[in-house]
């Protein structure tokens, strides 16, 4: 991590304050967040380009407030939140949702439970 960037491909821009913790970073998602820009041809931006599928991996810990929110709390969003082609991962009412929008279909699954 440097001044306002987390190195990577793409690098992530830090909005607000980010705390370095063992094995990662901590931020609240409301006053602080991370954002990055991918080309429109990236698989997670246009799932029609994912001819062999794709995988997303992350180790995340959520606050009780974000788990019980009535409104979606987005973890990843490349456009699917507004039904454009892309991928979204979000929390809502103690469930974790994965949504993929392609040019032909919308897929959404959720995982409900105390351990997310």
């Amino acid at each position: 991590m440097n001044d306002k960037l987390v190195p990577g491909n793409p690098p992530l821009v830090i909005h607000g304050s980010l705390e370095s913790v063992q094995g990662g970073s901590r931020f609240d998602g409301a006053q602080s967040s991370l954002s990055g820009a991918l080309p429109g041809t990236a698989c997670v931006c246009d799932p029609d380009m994912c001819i062999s599928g794709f995988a997303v991996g992350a180790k995340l810990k959520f606050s009780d407030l974000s788990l019980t929110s009535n409104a979606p709390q987005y973890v990843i969003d490349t456009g699917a939140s507004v039904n454009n082609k892309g991928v979204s991962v979000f929390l809502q009412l103690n469930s974790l949702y994965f949504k993929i929008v392609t040019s032909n279909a919308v897929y959404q699954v959720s995982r409900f439970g105390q351990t997310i």
Side-chain angles (χ1 to χ4, degrees):
M1 230 174 16
N2 60 32
D3 185 31
K4 285 292 183 184
L5 286 177
V6 175
N9 187 13
L12 299 175
V13 178
I14 301 168
H15 303 279
S17 62
L18 187 71
E19 180 185 354
S20 221
V21 296
Q22 184 177 4
S25 303
R26 178 181 301 154
F27 54 94
D28 67 12
Q31 301 299 316
S32 55
S33 62
L34 298 172
S35 66
L38 293 168
T41 56
C43 202
V44 295
C45 294
D46 184 355
D48 289 329
M49 303 293 288
C50 305
I51 57 173
S52 297
F54 70 95
V56 175
K59 181 179 178 181
L60 305 167
K61 184 175 180 180
F62 304 107
S63 70
D64 290 339
L65 181 59
S66 63
L67 290 173
T68 58
S69 173
N70 287 328
Q73 305 293 305
Y74 287 92
V75 178
I76 298 171
D77 184 33
T78 65
S81 64
V82 292
N83 286 327
N84 289 330
K85 288 197 282 186
V87 175
S88 289
V89 178
F90 62 96
L91 296 158
Q92 187 174 24
L93 295 174
N94 205 33
S95 292
L96 181 65
Y97 290 85
F98 292 84
K99 182 177 181 181
I100 298 172
V101 178
T102 69
S103 57
N104 299 319
V106 175
Y107 306 94
Q108 183 169 301
V109 297
S110 68
R111 167 69 169 103
F112 175 79
Q114 295 297 79
T115 306
I116 297 179

